[in-house]
Amino acid sequence: MVELKPDQYRGIWVYLEHRNGAIFKGSIQLIGEGGRIAKELGTELSGVLLGHGIRDLAQEAIEYGVETVILGEHDVLKEYSPNAYCLALAKLVKRRKPEVVLFSASKNGRALAGRLHAEIETGLAADCTAFEVTDEGLLAMIRPAFGGRSLAHILCKEHRPQMASARPNVFAIPARDPSRRGRVSRARLRLSPSDIDTEIVAFEEFPDVQEVKLEDSAIVVAGGYGMRGPENFRILRDLARELGGAVAASRKAADSGWVPKEIQVGQTGKTVRPRLYFAVGISGAVQHLAGMQESDVIVAVNKDPRAPIFEIADYGIVGDLFQIVPKMIEELRAMKHDGGEAPSPATIRT
Amino acid sequence: MGLKIIVCIKQVPKAQELRIDPKTNTLKRAGVESVINPPDRNALEMALRLVERHGGKTVVVSMGPPFFDASLHEAIGMGIDEGFLLTDRALGGSDTVPTAYALSKTVEKVGDYDLILCGEETTDSSTGHVGPGMAGHLRIPQITYVSKVGLKDGWVEATRTLEYGLETRRGRTPALLTVNFGCNTPREPTLLGKIRAKRGGVIKIWNAADVGADYSKIGLRNSPTVVSKMETVVLPERKGIILDNGQRDAVSKLLGMLADEGVLRVG
């Protein structure tokens, strides 16, 4: 139950996730969007930094546009653990009463917000792609539903704070201005080592897989479960090279361990909007479509003529991808040798 | 002493069957079969494998209308020992806050568990909030997005997939884990299992009062969020020119059309 009336809660908070001495891109993007919301509501934007020995990050946050940094430093917060971070945030929220708390919808961000919203009993919208302030001064938290064919506007009317996680790479990174000044408000937190629920015992970083970044590429060649195995992604890499594009994958291919998760496109992966999207051996579940349906031109290659991917394709070939893709590579090479211009990597529109 | 693992599952519309009505641009829902939320099947499989290795008992828990018992039957058919369905009209319209609360009351009532496993998120509402919310209510460790798990002497060690790498975490049991979709191949229900599921007493039905849930904390009225509006996304018209590879020069034709579109900068 809420102790205060909703209008007694003030200010927009952005939870700032960080690692190896840098704030996550997704959190920085939220500084921009949080600032826009704060301005519209006539209130202040604060950034919450939890950790230990992270004073330098406060300056970074301010340069990106945070007005007040709430700095919660504690031994117990040295390494991220869901329970200790949740308790720290719950204490801060109860003490300072923000009207909105935004998280980046990273894996840790979503799971932390999920634990917190139950702890403090307030509404939480997941993976939002837009925010609007309503006439009543509420935050409409907007997220794709039904595989991106609808947008649900979610309101949290009575409970505070209104909380949401926002999909990374939807909002632009705000300009960084080293001359910006802001406040750093240290938060005193009483936590005990027993609040740490889990600790990291091993970590294996994903290697950087490709030079052309998926989100920035004008041409994307994506493979699905129809690729049958990791070794077959070689032909997609060859095709991508001929086209000057980047390789991506469906969730099923990524989850099968054929390719790294960070090149997964779809509802739980990346959202791309290239000039040209090749879907190879991808049936086109709504979850995949959610991540690529705004591409300018969609090409599908699939052996099943009834695959849903053909319903949103501009062009397609029904047939064996293991015949079609090598043929494409061969013909693209031939086109080059025929005196045509090399397919230079087209640049993405802004 | 064996383990006791509780798996929380939800019944969802079958994603592969979801098609968009091109006229209305909305989801065609009529006649869509419902299934166990796919990541939850990976959670069931993980539980079964753990118990095969360490011994013990598996329990499946779900919350929803009475017809959700179809999912429980299937889980029992896969080899889960016992099932509980929390069903109560008062739970209708619950968002993730009452859902996490009511499910945490249910697993408390089941009691004495070492692990709770949930799918990482559901395919119909895809929040991933209920598992962590339950862990918060139960004040137990949570490890999310897990693909591998080990148990030893009251500790759980689990490998999770993050955006930038694979992280292995350790915590005390009892703990709640959310399981990555596709991290294992869930077994199919067996005939024997299906027969067992039909026997009385394997699946129990509970209402909110049975699990001690406070009625002032559940249902639509006690859900902090409301959906105020659904906007239809209007997608660009697609040309839909589909060639057959059997047809001569399909690849050349396709590349020619792409060049004409100006998306291939080839001479």
Side-chain angles (χ1 to χ4, degrees):
Chain A
M1 282 284 105
V2 249
E3 302 121 17
L4 283 177
K5 290 206 184 83
D7 61 5
Q8 289 171 285
Y9 287 74
R10 301 289 303 176
I12 310 299
W13 284 13
V14 173
Y15 170 71
L16 300 171
E17 232 182 300
H18 57 89
R19 185 174 163 252
N20 298 340
I23 300 175
F24 276 19
K25 218 169 80 180
S27 298
I28 295 173
Q29 292 158 354
L30 268 183
I31 296 176
E33 180 63 6
R36 187 191 69 78
I37 298 164
K39 199 170 279 174
E40 208 169 322
L41 284 166
T43 185
E44 198 190 42
L45 175 70
S46 300
V48 183
L49 273 170
L50 299 182
H52 186 74
I54 49 160
R55 180 66 181 75
D56 291 350
L57 295 180
Q59 187 53 35
E60 186 187 349
I62 288 166
E63 289 176 12
Y64 278 114
V66 167
E67 296 170 82
T68 298
V69 172
I70 299 165
L71 187 63
E73 289 191 295
H74 199 291
D75 262 353
V76 160
L77 302 177
K78 196 164 193 158
E79 183 182 87
Y80 169 73
S81 74
N83 187 55
Y85 272 59
C86 172
L87 292 179
L89 279 175
K91 284 173 204 268
L92 291 173
V93 164
K94 281 178 189 156
R95 214 180 285 162
R96 303 190 181 210
K97 302 181 173 49
E99 58 188 302
V100 170
V101 183
L102 302 175
F103 297 81
S104 173
S106 64
K107 299 283 168 93
N108 281 342
R110 276 172 87 152
L112 173 62
R115 189 169 181 116
L116 179 66
H117 91 305
E119 174 77 30
I120 60 178
E121 292 189 22
T122 193
L124 172 63
D127 207 26
C128 295
T129 53
F131 296 100
E132 279 172 16
V133 174
T134 69
D135 295 342
E136 303 84 48
L138 293 167
L139 185 67
M141 304 176 276
I142 302 166
R143 66 181 303 238
F146 306 138
R149 292 308 169 103
S150 302
L151 288 172
H153 289 233
I154 296 167
L155 298 179
C156 175
K157 291 181 174 169
E158 307 287 333
H159 294 66
R160 289 293 176 276
Q162 306 165 76
M163 302 210 302
S165 64
R167 184 178 292 182
N169 302 320
V170 169
F171 302 106
I173 290 188
R176 185 171 183 167
D177 177 359
S179 71
R180 270 199 196 110
R181 296 285 169 266
R183 275 188 337 124
V184 177
S185 166
R186 282 193 174 276
R188 201 169 298 171
L189 292 166
R190 199 172 300 163
L191 295 165
S192 115
S194 65
D195 293 329
I196 299 173
D197 61 335
T198 61
E199 55 189 13
I200 301 171
V201 291
F203 181 70
E204 186 192 320
E205 183 129 12
F206 289 137
D208 271 341
V209 271
Q210 51 191 4
E211 298 119 48
V212 192
K213 277 202 73 196
L214 189 52
E215 300 95 312
D216 303 331
S217 186
I219 295 178
V220 172
V221 179
Y225 205 58
M227 296 307 296
R228 291 198 214 134
E231 63 287 356
N232 296 326
F233 269 77
R234 197 172 40 83
I235 61 171
L236 293 191
R237 281 192 280 275
D238 289 345
L239 178 59
R241 196 171 307 122
E242 289 306 317
L243 293 164
V247 174
S250 73
R251 170 143 196 183
K252 222 168 166 192
D255 278 341
S256 304
W258 299 349
V259 290
K261 286 287 269 185
E262 66 262 30
I263 66 164
Q264 180 195 316
V265 163
Q267 191 168 298
T268 54
K270 292 199 161 132
T271 301
V272 296
R273 230 177 48 149
R275 300 245 310 130
L276 177 59
Y277 189 92
F278 268 87
V280 182
I282 292 177
S283 65
V286 286
Q287 286 85 348
H288 184 76
L289 305 186
M292 46 67 76
Q293 63 193 6
E294 288 181 47
S295 305
D296 285 352
V297 175
I298 296 172
V299 176
V301 175
N302 204 296
K303 63 171 195 268
D304 178 5
R306 290 161 309 156
I309 193 75
F310 286 120
E311 290 170 19
I312 70 150
D314 292 291
Y315 303 100
I317 302 183
V318 176
D320 181 1
L321 72 92
F322 295 104
Q323 282 177 13
I324 296 165
V325 174
K327 190 98 200 295
M328 275 184 191
I329 296 166
E330 189 187 307
E331 295 210 5
L332 284 165
R333 283 184 185 148
M335 284 161 103
K336 248 194 266 186
H337 289 296
D338 286 350
E341 243 174 86
S344 56
T347 42
I348 197 159
R349 68 205 159 152
T350 47
Chain B
M1 275 234 312
L3 293 170
K4 186 162 166 187
I5 304 179
I6 301 178
V7 186
C8 297
I9 68 171
K10 186 186 180 190
Q11 195 163 305
V12 298
K14 194 171 179 177
Q16 290 91 320
E17 295 194 358
L18 288 181
R19 292 289 179 103
I20 307 297
D21 185 330
K23 285 195 193 88
T24 60
N25 208 20
T26 54
L27 218 56
K28 290 185 204 172
R29 304 241 245 178
V32 175
E33 194 190 331
S34 65
V35 293
I36 295 178
N37 175 48
D40 299 351
R41 296 183 68 225
N42 297 113
L44 289 165
E45 179 64 29
M46 188 179 273
L48 290 166
R49 289 187 193 180
L50 279 169
V51 162
E52 279 161 5
R53 204 182 319 149
H54 299 279
K57 183 180 174 182
T58 50
V59 179
V60 61
V61 163
S62 190
M63 169 180 140
F67 73 86
F68 271 31
D69 71 348
S71 291
L72 296 180
H73 272 89
E74 196 181 334
I76 302 285
M78 284 169 73
I80 299 289
D81 296 310
E82 199 179 5
F84 295 93
L85 177 64
L86 176 65
T87 188
D88 199 314
R89 280 185 175 281
L91 288 162
S94 291
D95 74 2
T96 57
V97 172
T99 303
Y101 165 73
L103 280 172
S104 67
K105 297 305 277 185
T106 309
V107 299
E108 270 176 350
K109 169 93 178 174
V110 173
D112 283 332
Y113 52 85
D114 299 280
L115 277 185
I116 300 172
L117 303 181
C118 302
E120 59 170 299
E121 63 177 50
T122 58
T123 53
D124 60 347
S125 34
S126 62
T127 69
H129 293 162
V130 171
M134 288 176 68
H137 278 300
L138 298 164
R139 306 212 167 274
I140 59 173
Q142 74 187 47
I143 310 180
T144 46
Y145 306 102
V146 167
S147 51
K148 253 170 63 184
V149 64
L151 282 164
K152 207 181 169 193
D153 307 325
W155 290 90
V156 56
E157 207 171 279
T159 302
R160 52 198 303 257
T161 314
L162 295 176
E163 292 82 355
Y164 43 87
L166 295 176
E167 182 187 87
T168 304
R169 278 187 180 267
R170 195 171 67 143
R172 278 269 172 213
T173 58
L176 183 143
L177 272 52
T178 76
V179 177
N180 265 351
F181 173 52
C183 69
N184 54 35
T185 308
R187 65 197 69 189
E188 293 301 320
T190 63
L191 186 61
L192 213 67
K194 282 184 188 163
I195 293 168
R196 206 177 76 81
K198 291 213 172 78
R199 262 198 341 232
V202 182
I203 296 168
K204 292 187 190 70
I205 310 289
W206 280 341
N207 65 24
D210 291 331
V211 301
D214 181 344
Y215 279 85
S216 72
K217 284 185 155 198
I218 57 173
L220 182 66
R221 250 194 316 166
N222 301 298
S223 294
T225 59
V226 289
V227 176
S228 65
K229 184 160 92 174
M230 288 297 275
E231 235 180 285
T232 302
V233 176
V234 182
L235 290 172
E237 285 273 314
R238 296 291 173 186
K239 295 201 176 68
I241 302 171
I242 311 299
L243 311 171
D244 191 298
N245 196 36
Q247 158 185 356
R248 260 179 109 66
D249 301 331
V251 169
S252 316
K253 272 185 196 143
L254 173 77
L255 292 177
M257 289 187 287
L258 293 178
D260 290 345
E261 283 263 8
V263 287
L264 287 189
R265 292 212 252 141
V266 186

